[in-house]
Amino acid sequence: MNNLIFSLNATIPIFLTMVIGYLLRQFHYMDDSFVTTLNKFNYNITLPVLLFLDIYHADFYQVWDTRYVLYCFFVTLMCCLLITALSIFFLKDKTIFGEFIQASYRGSAAVLGLAFIQNIYGSSRVTPLMIIGTVPLYNIYAVIILSLTNPKEMAEGTHSLNKAHLKKTLTGIAKNPIIIGIILGMAASLLKLPLPRFLLKTAGNFSNLATPLALIGLGAAFEGKKALNKIAPTLAASSIRLILQPALFLPLASYLGFRGEELVAILVMLGAPTTASCFIMAKNLGHEGVLTSSTVVTTTFLSSVTLTFWLFLLKTKGLI
C-alpha cells in the first residue's frame, strides 16, 4: 500500500495540475493566444533557468555520468530504429508512416521529465543528462524520417531528405534554449563561477514558475476530440510509447545498475506521453498531423495510469 501511495503522490499532482489547466481553458480564463504565449515563455525562459540552477548548484564532477548519457542516447536510437522496422513490416497506410514513427518514439522529456523528478526528489540534476542524450537525436531523426516520408512527395516519387530542414534543425538544436541552459549550467558549475545572491534569488523566482506553468500550459492545449481520429494507429503508437518501450528497456537500465532519480528519468524518457512539438514538426514537413495530434492527446490521457503503474513497479522492486 505504501508503494501505491508513493506512486500516486508522484503522478496525481502532475496530472491534476494539467486538468486544472484544461478546465481554465474550457472556462475561457485562457484563449489560444495566451496558451501559445505561456508555452513559449516556459520553453524559452523558465525551463532553461530551472535547468541552469539545478546544475549550477550541483557539483559538475558528481553530476556528469558519461555511461548514463550514452545509455540514453543508444536506447533512444534503438527505439527509433526498432519502431521504423516494425512500421515497415506492419503499417499498411504509408501516408502516416513518418507521423507514426515520430509519435511513437518522441516523448515529452523536458517538461514532464522535470515535473516528475522535481515532484519526487525536489530537484532535477539527472534530467539534463537524459535530455542531452535524447533531445538532439529526437529532432534529427524526426527531420530525416518525416522528410523521407512526405505523403505528397511519396505519391509523386520525388521524396528525399530535405537538406534545408535538416540544416534548420541542426541550427535549432544549437539555439535550443533548454540545451543552452544545460550547457551554461555545466560551465558555471565546472568553473565554480560565483554569482551574486540577488541574481540567484531572481533566477530562483523564475525557476519556481517552470513546472506548474508548464503543466498548466499542457493541460490548456489538450484537445480530446482529436483522439477519435485514426483510432487504430493512434492506439498502436500510444502502446509503443507508454508500454512497449518501458517494458523493453527499463529492465536493461536496472541490470546496468541505474537507480533512484536516474531510473525515474529513464522511465520518463521511455514512457512519457508524446510531446506536442511532434505536431508542429510534422505539419512543417508536409504531413497531415491528425495522427500526431491524436497520439499526443491519447498518450497524455493514458500516461496518468501507465506512469503510475511503472513507478509502483519500480518502487515495489526497491529500485527507486
Side-chain angles (χ1 to χ4, degrees):
M1 181 59 72
N2 289 336
N3 293 336
L4 179 60
I5 293 173
F6 170 87
S7 305
L8 292 174
N9 284 336
T11 55
I12 287 179
I14 291 170
F15 289 100
L16 189 57
T17 305
M18 291 174 65
V19 169
I20 291 172
Y22 174 78
L23 293 175
L24 289 173
R25 176 70 180 87
Q26 298 307 304
F27 287 109
H28 305 293
Y29 285 98
M30 305 178 185
D31 57 18
D32 291 339
S33 176
F34 180 86
V35 173
T36 300
T37 302
L38 176 64
N39 288 330
K40 185 176 181 180
F41 173 72
N42 284 326
Y43 191 78
N44 288 288
I45 305 296
T46 62
L47 289 175
V49 171
L50 172 61
L51 287 165
F52 172 85
L53 287 180
D54 280 340
I55 299 175
Y56 174 77
H57 289 305
D59 186 329
F60 176 83
Y61 295 102
Q62 290 184 348
V63 171
W64 181 258
D65 186 342
T66 301
R67 191 171 73 107
Y68 185 75
V69 174
L70 289 176
Y71 172 86
C72 292
F73 175 83
F74 282 110
V75 165
T76 300
L77 180 60
M78 289 173 65
C79 288
C80 293
L81 296 177
L82 178 61
I83 293 166
T84 302
L86 290 173
S87 301
I88 291 172
F89 286 105
F90 296 107
L91 192 63
K92 295 181 180 179
D93 185 357
K94 298 306 179 184
T95 64
I96 60 172
F97 191 82
E99 285 194 64
F100 181 87
I101 294 171
Q102 185 193 206
S104 297
Y105 79 75
R106 191 174 178 186
S108 182
V111 177
L112 280 182
L114 288 168
F116 268 87
I117 298 295
Q118 277 206 316
N119 192 40
I120 297 172
Y121 295 103
S123 66
S124 54
R125 296 175 183 177
V126 171
T127 309
L129 301 184
M130 181 267 286
I131 292 173
I132 289 172
T134 58
V135 171
L137 180 57
Y138 276 173
N139 286 278
I140 293 171
Y141 197 81
V143 170
I144 292 172
I145 201 67
L146 290 171
S147 294
L148 291 175
T149 59
N150 181 292
K152 183 179 179 181
E153 293 179 355
M154 287 180 70
E156 297 172 351
T158 60
H159 57 288
S160 62
L161 180 60
N162 191 319
K163 294 181 180 179
H165 282 299
L166 183 57
K167 181 180 179 181
K168 183 178 179 181
T169 297
L170 293 174
T171 303
I173 291 172
K175 295 180 178 179
N176 186 303
I178 289 177
I179 299 295
I180 291 173
I182 291 171
I183 292 173
L184 290 178
M186 286 183 171
S189 177
L190 180 63
L191 297 172
K192 300 188 183 302
L193 186 68
L195 293 178
R197 185 173 177 81
F198 73 89
L199 281 181
L200 291 175
K201 279 202 159 190
T202 303
N205 290 335
F206 281 90
S207 71
N208 290 336
L209 295 172
T211 299
L213 286 184
L215 294 174
I216 289 171
L218 280 174
F222 189 87
E223 298 181 71
K225 292 181 180 178
K226 289 185 177 180
L228 297 176
N229 298 304
K230 298 186 182 297
I231 191 65
T234 294
L235 291 176
S238 300
S239 298
I240 292 172
R241 179 73 222 149
L242 302 178
I243 299 173
L244 181 60
Q245 290 187 158
L248 287 176
F249 295 107
L250 278 177
L252 176 60
S254 173
Y255 174 77
L256 292 175
F258 297 121
R259 296 290 185 272
E261 187 178 340
E262 292 177 329
L263 203 54
V264 174
I266 290 172
L267 168 60
V268 171
M269 177 187 82
L270 296 169
T274 302
T275 177
S277 59
C278 286
F279 176 77
I280 298 171
M281 186 168 286
K283 291 291 288 183
N284 286 340
L285 289 172
H287 293 255
E288 184 183 29
V290 174
L291 173 61
T292 304
S293 61
S294 297
T295 306
V296 170
V297 170
T298 304
T299 54
T300 301
F301 176 74
L302 294 178
S303 62
S304 60
V305 176
T306 57
L307 284 175
T308 301
F309 167 76
W310 290 118
L311 282 173
F312 173 73
L313 186 62
L314 294 176
K315 184 67 175 177
T316 301
K317 296 292 183 181
L319 299 174
I320 60 174

